[in-house]
mmCIF file with all atom_site columns, all heavy atoms in Angstrom:
data_model
loop_
_atom_site.group_PDB
_atom_site.id
_atom_site.type_symbol
_atom_site.label_atom_id
_atom_site.label_alt_id
_atom_site.label_comp_id
_atom_site.label_asym_id
_atom_site.label_entity_id
_atom_site.label_seq_id
_atom_site.pdbx_PDB_ins_code
_atom_site.Cartn_x
_atom_site.Cartn_y
_atom_site.Cartn_z
_atom_site.occupancy
_atom_site.B_iso_or_equiv
_atom_site.pdbx_formal_charge
_atom_site.auth_seq_id
_atom_site.auth_comp_id
_atom_site.auth_asym_id
_atom_site.auth_atom_id
_atom_site.pdbx_PDB_model_num
ATOM   1   N N   . ASN A 1 514 ? -17.728 33.649 -27.675 1.00 0.00 ? 514 ASN A N   1
ATOM   2   C CA  . ASN A 1 514 ? -17.723 35.101 -27.432 1.00 0.00 ? 514 ASN A CA  1
ATOM   3   C C   . ASN A 1 514 ? -19.147 35.650 -27.460 1.00 0.00 ? 514 ASN A C   1
ATOM   4   O O   . ASN A 1 514 ? -19.554 36.417 -26.588 1.00 0.00 ? 514 ASN A O   1
ATOM   5   C CB  . ASN A 1 514 ? -16.922 35.829 -28.512 1.00 0.00 ? 514 ASN A CB  1
ATOM   6   C CG  . ASN A 1 514 ? -15.436 35.842 -28.204 1.00 0.00 ? 514 ASN A CG  1
ATOM   7   O OD1 . ASN A 1 514 ? -15.031 35.467 -27.104 1.00 0.00 ? 514 ASN A OD1 1
ATOM   8   N ND2 . ASN A 1 514 ? -14.631 36.257 -29.164 1.00 0.00 ? 514 ASN A ND2 1
ATOM   9   N N   . ALA A 1 515 ? -19.922 35.237 -28.509 1.00 0.00 ? 515 ALA A N   1
ATOM   10  C CA  . ALA A 1 515 ? -21.292 35.739 -28.651 1.00 0.00 ? 515 ALA A CA  1
ATOM   11  C C   . ALA A 1 515 ? -22.094 35.394 -27.400 1.00 0.00 ? 515 ALA A C   1
ATOM   12  O O   . ALA A 1 515 ? -22.832 36.240 -26.871 1.00 0.00 ? 515 ALA A O   1
ATOM   13  C CB  . ALA A 1 515 ? -21.934 35.148 -29.886 1.00 0.00 ? 515 ALA A CB  1
ATOM   14  N N   . LYS A 1 517 ? -20.892 34.824 -24.454 1.00 0.00 ? 517 LYS A N   1
ATOM   15  C CA  . LYS A 1 517 ? -20.320 35.549 -23.322 1.00 0.00 ? 517 LYS A CA  1
ATOM   16  C C   . LYS A 1 517 ? -20.921 36.953 -23.234 1.00 0.00 ? 517 LYS A C   1
ATOM   17  O O   . LYS A 1 517 ? -21.189 37.466 -22.162 1.00 0.00 ? 517 LYS A O   1
ATOM   18  C CB  . LYS A 1 517 ? -18.802 35.652 -23.499 1.00 0.00 ? 517 LYS A CB  1
ATOM   19  C CG  . LYS A 1 517 ? -18.028 35.270 -22.256 1.00 0.00 ? 517 LYS A CG  1
ATOM   20  C CD  . LYS A 1 517 ? -16.583 35.662 -22.372 1.00 0.00 ? 517 LYS A CD  1
ATOM   21  C CE  . LYS A 1 517 ? -15.788 34.769 -23.290 1.00 0.00 ? 517 LYS A CE  1
ATOM   22  N NZ  . LYS A 1 517 ? -14.357 35.186 -23.283 1.00 0.00 ? 517 LYS A NZ  1
ATOM   23  N N   . TYR A 1 518 ? -21.124 37.593 -24.402 1.00 0.00 ? 518 TYR A N   1
ATOM   24  C CA  . TYR A 1 518 ? -21.541 38.994 -24.386 1.00 0.00 ? 518 TYR A CA  1
ATOM   25  C C   . TYR A 1 518 ? -23.024 39.191 -24.726 1.00 0.00 ? 518 TYR A C   1
ATOM   26  O O   . TYR A 1 518 ? -23.421 40.234 -25.201 1.00 0.00 ? 518 TYR A O   1
ATOM   27  C CB  . TYR A 1 518 ? -20.643 39.819 -25.334 1.00 0.00 ? 518 TYR A CB  1
ATOM   28  C CG  . TYR A 1 518 ? -19.181 39.724 -24.938 1.00 0.00 ? 518 TYR A CG  1
ATOM   29  C CD1 . TYR A 1 518 ? -18.281 38.967 -25.675 1.00 0.00 ? 518 TYR A CD1 1
ATOM   30  C CD2 . TYR A 1 518 ? -18.723 40.363 -23.776 1.00 0.00 ? 518 TYR A CD2 1
ATOM   31  C CE1 . TYR A 1 518 ? -16.957 38.847 -25.304 1.00 0.00 ? 518 TYR A CE1 1
ATOM   32  C CE2 . TYR A 1 518 ? -17.393 40.246 -23.401 1.00 0.00 ? 518 TYR A CE2 1
ATOM   33  C CZ  . TYR A 1 518 ? -16.513 39.482 -24.164 1.00 0.00 ? 518 TYR A CZ  1
ATOM   34  O OH  . TYR A 1 518 ? -15.213 39.358 -23.766 1.00 0.00 ? 518 TYR A OH  1
ATOM   35  N N   . ASP A 1 542 ? -24.975 38.501 -33.129 1.00 0.00 ? 542 ASP A N   1
ATOM   36  C CA  . ASP A 1 542 ? -25.704 38.447 -31.848 1.00 0.00 ? 542 ASP A CA  1
ATOM   37  C C   . ASP A 1 542 ? -26.370 39.781 -31.573 1.00 0.00 ? 542 ASP A C   1
ATOM   38  O O   . ASP A 1 542 ? -26.055 40.789 -32.206 1.00 0.00 ? 542 ASP A O   1
ATOM   39  C CB  . ASP A 1 542 ? -24.741 38.057 -30.716 1.00 0.00 ? 542 ASP A CB  1
ATOM   40  C CG  . ASP A 1 542 ? -23.678 39.101 -30.481 1.00 0.00 ? 542 ASP A CG  1
ATOM   41  O OD1 . ASP A 1 542 ? -24.020 40.254 -30.132 1.00 0.00 ? 542 ASP A OD1 1
ATOM   42  O OD2 . ASP A 1 542 ? -22.465 38.772 -30.671 1.00 0.00 ? 542 ASP A OD2 1
ATOM   43  N N   . ILE A 1 547 ? -19.863 46.348 -29.413 1.00 0.00 ? 547 ILE A N   1
ATOM   44  C CA  . ILE A 1 547 ? -18.492 46.832 -29.166 1.00 0.00 ? 547 ILE A CA  1
ATOM   45  C C   . ILE A 1 547 ? -18.440 48.330 -29.487 1.00 0.00 ? 547 ILE A C   1
ATOM   46  O O   . ILE A 1 547 ? -18.906 48.734 -30.564 1.00 0.00 ? 547 ILE A O   1
ATOM   47  C CB  . ILE A 1 547 ? -17.471 46.066 -30.047 1.00 0.00 ? 547 ILE A CB  1
ATOM   48  C CG1 . ILE A 1 547 ? -17.560 44.564 -29.769 1.00 0.00 ? 547 ILE A CG1 1
ATOM   49  C CG2 . ILE A 1 547 ? -16.048 46.558 -29.823 1.00 0.00 ? 547 ILE A CG2 1
ATOM   50  C CD1 . ILE A 1 547 ? -16.895 43.694 -30.804 1.00 0.00 ? 547 ILE A CD1 1
ATOM   51  N N   . ILE A 1 555 ? -9.947  44.898 -32.085 1.00 0.00 ? 555 ILE A N   1
ATOM   52  C CA  . ILE A 1 555 ? -10.343 43.663 -31.393 1.00 0.00 ? 555 ILE A CA  1
ATOM   53  C C   . ILE A 1 555 ? -9.650  42.409 -31.915 1.00 0.00 ? 555 ILE A C   1
ATOM   54  O O   . ILE A 1 555 ? -9.616  41.403 -31.236 1.00 0.00 ? 555 ILE A O   1
ATOM   55  C CB  . ILE A 1 555 ? -11.877 43.433 -31.425 1.00 0.00 ? 555 ILE A CB  1
ATOM   56  C CG1 . ILE A 1 555 ? -12.389 43.575 -32.836 1.00 0.00 ? 555 ILE A CG1 1
ATOM   57  C CG2 . ILE A 1 555 ? -12.602 44.336 -30.449 1.00 0.00 ? 555 ILE A CG2 1
ATOM   58  C CD1 . ILE A 1 555 ? -13.797 43.086 -32.974 1.00 0.00 ? 555 ILE A CD1 1
ATOM   59  N N   . PHE A 1 560 ? -5.926  42.036 -26.850 1.00 0.00 ? 560 PHE A N   1
ATOM   60  C CA  . PHE A 1 560 ? -6.798  43.212 -26.725 1.00 0.00 ? 560 PHE A CA  1
ATOM   61  C C   . PHE A 1 560 ? -8.151  42.789 -26.156 1.00 0.00 ? 560 PHE A C   1
ATOM   62  O O   . PHE A 1 560 ? -8.770  41.838 -26.620 1.00 0.00 ? 560 PHE A O   1
ATOM   63  C CB  . PHE A 1 560 ? -7.022  43.894 -28.088 1.00 0.00 ? 560 PHE A CB  1
ATOM   64  C CG  . PHE A 1 560 ? -7.919  45.095 -27.954 1.00 0.00 ? 560 PHE A CG  1
ATOM   65  C CD1 . PHE A 1 560 ? -7.409  46.304 -27.473 1.00 0.00 ? 560 PHE A CD1 1
ATOM   66  C CD2 . PHE A 1 560 ? -9.280  44.998 -28.216 1.00 0.00 ? 560 PHE A CD2 1
ATOM   67  C CE1 . PHE A 1 560 ? -8.249  47.389 -27.292 1.00 0.00 ? 560 PHE A CE1 1
ATOM   68  C CE2 . PHE A 1 560 ? -10.119 46.087 -28.031 1.00 0.00 ? 560 PHE A CE2 1
ATOM   69  C CZ  . PHE A 1 560 ? -9.605  47.278 -27.574 1.00 0.00 ? 560 PHE A CZ  1
ATOM   70  N N   . GLN A 1 561 ? -8.559  43.538 -25.130 1.00 0.00 ? 561 GLN A N   1
ATOM   71  C CA  . GLN A 1 561 ? -9.864  43.283 -24.537 1.00 0.00 ? 561 GLN A CA  1
ATOM   72  C C   . GLN A 1 561 ? -10.542 44.625 -24.314 1.00 0.00 ? 561 GLN A C   1
ATOM   73  O O   . GLN A 1 561 ? -9.894  45.593 -23.898 1.00 0.00 ? 561 GLN A O   1
ATOM   74  C CB  . GLN A 1 561 ? -9.711  42.551 -23.196 1.00 0.00 ? 561 GLN A CB  1
ATOM   75  C CG  . GLN A 1 561 ? -9.252  41.112 -23.405 1.00 0.00 ? 561 GLN A CG  1
ATOM   76  C CD  . GLN A 1 561 ? -8.983  40.394 -22.111 1.00 0.00 ? 561 GLN A CD  1
ATOM   77  O OE1 . GLN A 1 561 ? -8.300  40.941 -21.241 1.00 0.00 ? 561 GLN A OE1 1
ATOM   78  N NE2 . GLN A 1 561 ? -9.509  39.202 -21.975 1.00 0.00 ? 561 GLN A NE2 1
ATOM   79  N N   . VAL A 1 562 ? -11.863 44.651 -24.569 1.00 0.00 ? 562 VAL A N   1
ATOM   80  C CA  . VAL A 1 562 ? -12.599 45.905 -24.377 1.00 0.00 ? 562 VAL A CA  1
ATOM   81  C C   . VAL A 1 562 ? -12.736 46.153 -22.873 1.00 0.00 ? 562 VAL A C   1
ATOM   82  O O   . VAL A 1 562 ? -13.100 45.248 -22.122 1.00 0.00 ? 562 VAL A O   1
ATOM   83  C CB  . VAL A 1 562 ? -13.990 45.829 -25.043 1.00 0.00 ? 562 VAL A CB  1
ATOM   84  C CG1 . VAL A 1 562 ? -14.806 47.092 -24.745 1.00 0.00 ? 562 VAL A CG1 1
ATOM   85  C CG2 . VAL A 1 562 ? -13.828 45.638 -26.536 1.00 0.00 ? 562 VAL A CG2 1
ATOM   86  N N   . TYR A 1 565 ? -15.862 45.380 -19.039 1.00 0.00 ? 565 TYR A N   1
ATOM   87  C CA  . TYR A 1 565 ? -16.634 44.168 -18.732 1.00 0.00 ? 565 TYR A CA  1
ATOM   88  C C   . TYR A 1 565 ? -16.165 43.584 -17.397 1.00 0.00 ? 565 TYR A C   1
ATOM   89  O O   . TYR A 1 565 ? -15.049 43.838 -16.948 1.00 0.00 ? 565 TYR A O   1
ATOM   90  C CB  . TYR A 1 565 ? -16.460 43.121 -19.839 1.00 0.00 ? 565 TYR A CB  1
ATOM   91  C CG  . TYR A 1 565 ? -17.086 43.532 -21.153 1.00 0.00 ? 565 TYR A CG  1
ATOM   92  C CD1 . TYR A 1 565 ? -16.315 43.678 -22.288 1.00 0.00 ? 565 TYR A CD1 1
ATOM   93  C CD2 . TYR A 1 565 ? -18.459 43.771 -21.232 1.00 0.00 ? 565 TYR A CD2 1
ATOM   94  C CE1 . TYR A 1 565 ? -16.883 44.050 -23.488 1.00 0.00 ? 565 TYR A CE1 1
ATOM   95  C CE2 . TYR A 1 565 ? -19.025 44.156 -22.429 1.00 0.00 ? 565 TYR A CE2 1
ATOM   96  C CZ  . TYR A 1 565 ? -18.249 44.302 -23.553 1.00 0.00 ? 565 TYR A CZ  1
ATOM   97  O OH  . TYR A 1 565 ? -18.811 44.671 -24.730 1.00 0.00 ? 565 TYR A OH  1
ATOM   98  N N   . GLY A 1 571 ? -11.682 36.807 -21.125 1.00 0.00 ? 571 GLY A N   1
ATOM   99  C CA  . GLY A 1 571 ? -10.935 35.619 -21.495 1.00 0.00 ? 571 GLY A CA  1
ATOM   100 C C   . GLY A 1 571 ? -9.459  35.984 -21.548 1.00 0.00 ? 571 GLY A C   1
ATOM   101 O O   . GLY A 1 571 ? -8.969  36.782 -20.742 1.00 0.00 ? 571 GLY A O   1
ATOM   102 N N   . THR A 1 572 ? -8.782  35.470 -22.584 1.00 0.00 ? 572 THR A N   1
ATOM   103 C CA  . THR A 1 572 ? -7.339  35.710 -22.679 1.00 0.00 ? 572 THR A CA  1
ATOM   104 C C   . THR A 1 572 ? -7.013  36.896 -23.586 1.00 0.00 ? 572 THR A C   1
ATOM   105 O O   . THR A 1 572 ? -5.906  37.407 -23.588 1.00 0.00 ? 572 THR A O   1
ATOM   106 C CB  . THR A 1 572 ? -6.664  34.469 -23.278 1.00 0.00 ? 572 THR A CB  1
ATOM   107 O OG1 . THR A 1 572 ? -7.253  34.242 -24.554 1.00 0.00 ? 572 THR A OG1 1
ATOM   108 C CG2 . THR A 1 572 ? -6.851  33.260 -22.402 1.00 0.00 ? 572 THR A CG2 1
ATOM   109 N N   . GLY A 1 573 ? -7.982  37.291 -24.405 1.00 0.00 ? 573 GLY A N   1
ATOM   110 C CA  . GLY A 1 573 ? -7.724  38.380 -25.379 1.00 0.00 ? 573 GLY A CA  1
ATOM   111 C C   . GLY A 1 573 ? -6.960  37.870 -26.578 1.00 0.00 ? 573 GLY A C   1
ATOM   112 O O   . GLY A 1 573 ? -6.455  38.648 -27.382 1.00 0.00 ? 573 GLY A O   1
ATOM   113 N N   . GLY A 1 575 ? -8.284  34.992 -28.453 1.00 0.00 ? 575 GLY A N   1
ATOM   114 C CA  . GLY A 1 575 ? -9.214  34.240 -29.313 1.00 0.00 ? 575 GLY A CA  1
ATOM   115 C C   . GLY A 1 575 ? -9.350  34.828 -30.716 1.00 0.00 ? 575 GLY A C   1
ATOM   116 O O   . GLY A 1 575 ? -9.108  34.127 -31.712 1.00 0.00 ? 575 GLY A O   1
ATOM   117 N N   . LEU A 1 576 ? -9.710  36.122 -30.803 1.00 0.00 ? 576 LEU A N   1
ATOM   118 C CA  . LEU A 1 576 ? -9.946  36.731 -32.128 1.00 0.00 ? 576 LEU A CA  1
ATOM   119 C C   . LEU A 1 576 ? -8.666  36.828 -32.956 1.00 0.00 ? 576 LEU A C   1
ATOM   120 O O   . LEU A 1 576 ? -8.701  36.731 -34.179 1.00 0.00 ? 576 LEU A O   1
ATOM   121 C CB  . LEU A 1 576 ? -10.589 38.113 -31.985 1.00 0.00 ? 576 LEU A CB  1
ATOM   122 C CG  . LEU A 1 576 ? -12.068 38.102 -31.562 1.00 0.00 ? 576 LEU A CG  1
ATOM   123 C CD1 . LEU A 1 576 ? -12.613 39.518 -31.461 1.00 0.00 ? 576 LEU A CD1 1
ATOM   124 C CD2 . LEU A 1 576 ? -12.909 37.312 -32.545 1.00 0.00 ? 576 LEU A CD2 1
ATOM   125 N N   . SER A 1 600 ? -23.354 42.513 -32.199 1.00 0.00 ? 600 SER A N   1
ATOM   126 C CA  . SER A 1 600 ? -22.197 42.478 -33.108 1.00 0.00 ? 600 SER A CA  1
ATOM   127 C C   . SER A 1 600 ? -22.432 41.417 -34.174 1.00 0.00 ? 600 SER A C   1
ATOM   128 O O   . SER A 1 600 ? -23.194 40.471 -33.965 1.00 0.00 ? 600 SER A O   1
ATOM   129 C CB  . SER A 1 600 ? -20.922 42.098 -32.351 1.00 0.00 ? 600 SER A CB  1
ATOM   130 O OG  . SER A 1 600 ? -20.850 42.810 -31.147 1.00 0.00 ? 600 SER A OG  1
ATOM   131 N N   . PHE A 1 602 ? -19.886 39.155 -36.654 1.00 0.00 ? 602 PHE A N   1
ATOM   132 C CA  . PHE A 1 602 ? -18.559 38.794 -37.165 1.00 0.00 ? 602 PHE A CA  1
ATOM   133 C C   . PHE A 1 602 ? -18.766 38.016 -38.466 1.00 0.00 ? 602 PHE A C   1
ATOM   134 O O   . PHE A 1 602 ? -19.524 37.048 -38.495 1.00 0.00 ? 602 PHE A O   1
ATOM   135 C CB  . PHE A 1 602 ? -17.813 37.915 -36.155 1.00 0.00 ? 602 PHE A CB  1
ATOM   136 C CG  . PHE A 1 602 ? -17.311 38.701 -34.968 1.00 0.00 ? 602 PHE A CG  1
ATOM   137 C CD1 . PHE A 1 602 ? -18.156 38.992 -33.895 1.00 0.00 ? 602 PHE A CD1 1
ATOM   138 C CD2 . PHE A 1 602 ? -16.004 39.171 -34.932 1.00 0.00 ? 602 PHE A CD2 1
ATOM   139 C CE1 . PHE A 1 602 ? -17.696 39.731 -32.812 1.00 0.00 ? 602 PHE A CE1 1
ATOM   140 C CE2 . PHE A 1 602 ? -15.538 39.906 -33.860 1.00 0.00 ? 602 PHE A CE2 1
ATOM   141 C CZ  . PHE A 1 602 ? -16.395 40.193 -32.788 1.00 0.00 ? 602 PHE A CZ  1
HETATM 142 P P1  . ADP B 2 .   ? -11.519 37.161 -25.095 1.00 0.00 ? 1   ADP B P1  1
HETATM 143 O O1  . ADP B 2 .   ? -10.810 35.895 -24.773 1.00 0.00 ? 1   ADP B O1  1
HETATM 144 O O2  . ADP B 2 .   ? -11.241 38.261 -24.129 1.00 0.00 ? 1   ADP B O2  1
HETATM 145 O O3  . ADP B 2 .   ? -12.882 36.970 -25.457 1.00 0.00 ? 1   ADP B O3  1
HETATM 146 P P2  . ADP B 2 .   ? -11.163 37.689 -27.816 1.00 0.00 ? 1   ADP B P2  1
HETATM 147 O O4  . ADP B 2 .   ? -9.951  37.912 -28.655 1.00 0.00 ? 1   ADP B O4  1
HETATM 148 O O5  . ADP B 2 .   ? -11.993 36.503 -28.163 1.00 0.00 ? 1   ADP B O5  1
HETATM 149 O O6  . ADP B 2 .   ? -10.703 37.658 -26.334 1.00 0.00 ? 1   ADP B O6  1
HETATM 150 O O7  . ADP B 2 .   ? -12.030 38.973 -27.885 1.00 0.00 ? 1   ADP B O7  1
HETATM 151 C C1  . ADP B 2 .   ? -11.417 40.268 -27.771 1.00 0.00 ? 1   ADP B C1  1
HETATM 152 C C2  . ADP B 2 .   ? -12.430 41.240 -27.246 1.00 0.00 ? 1   ADP B C2  1
HETATM 153 O O8  . ADP B 2 .   ? -13.437 41.477 -28.233 1.00 0.00 ? 1   ADP B O8  1
HETATM 154 C C3  . ADP B 2 .   ? -13.194 40.761 -26.048 1.00 0.00 ? 1   ADP B C3  1
HETATM 155 O O9  . ADP B 2 .   ? -12.486 41.079 -24.856 1.00 0.00 ? 1   ADP B O9  1
HETATM 156 C C4  . ADP B 2 .   ? -14.481 41.514 -26.139 1.00 0.00 ? 1   ADP B C4  1
HETATM 157 O O10 . ADP B 2 .   ? -14.356 42.772 -25.509 1.00 0.00 ? 1   ADP B O10 1
HETATM 158 C C5  . ADP B 2 .   ? -14.686 41.746 -27.597 1.00 0.00 ? 1   ADP B C5  1
HETATM 159 N N1  . ADP B 2 .   ? -15.668 40.815 -28.186 1.00 0.00 ? 1   ADP B N1  1
HETATM 160 C C6  . ADP B 2 .   ? -15.414 39.680 -28.861 1.00 0.00 ? 1   ADP B C6  1
HETATM 161 N N2  . ADP B 2 .   ? -16.581 39.115 -29.277 1.00 0.00 ? 1   ADP B N2  1
HETATM 162 C C7  . ADP B 2 .   ? -17.578 39.945 -28.839 1.00 0.00 ? 1   ADP B C7  1
HETATM 163 C C8  . ADP B 2 .   ? -19.016 39.911 -28.962 1.00 0.00 ? 1   ADP B C8  1
HETATM 164 N N3  . ADP B 2 .   ? -19.650 38.937 -29.650 1.00 0.00 ? 1   ADP B N3  1
HETATM 165 N N4  . ADP B 2 .   ? -19.724 40.909 -28.407 1.00 0.00 ? 1   ADP B N4  1
HETATM 166 C C9  . ADP B 2 .   ? -19.091 41.914 -27.779 1.00 0.00 ? 1   ADP B C9  1
HETATM 167 N N5  . ADP B 2 .   ? -17.754 42.005 -27.614 1.00 0.00 ? 1   ADP B N5  1
HETATM 168 C C10 . ADP B 2 .   ? -17.010 41.026 -28.126 1.00 0.00 ? 1   ADP B C10 1
#
Side-chain angles (χ1 to χ4, degrees):
N514 276 350
K517 228 192 285 183
Y518 301 106
D542 65 61
I547 302 165
I555 50 168
F560 180 79
Q561 289 175 312
V562 175
Y565 292 119
T572 58
L576 287 181
S600 315
F602 286 83

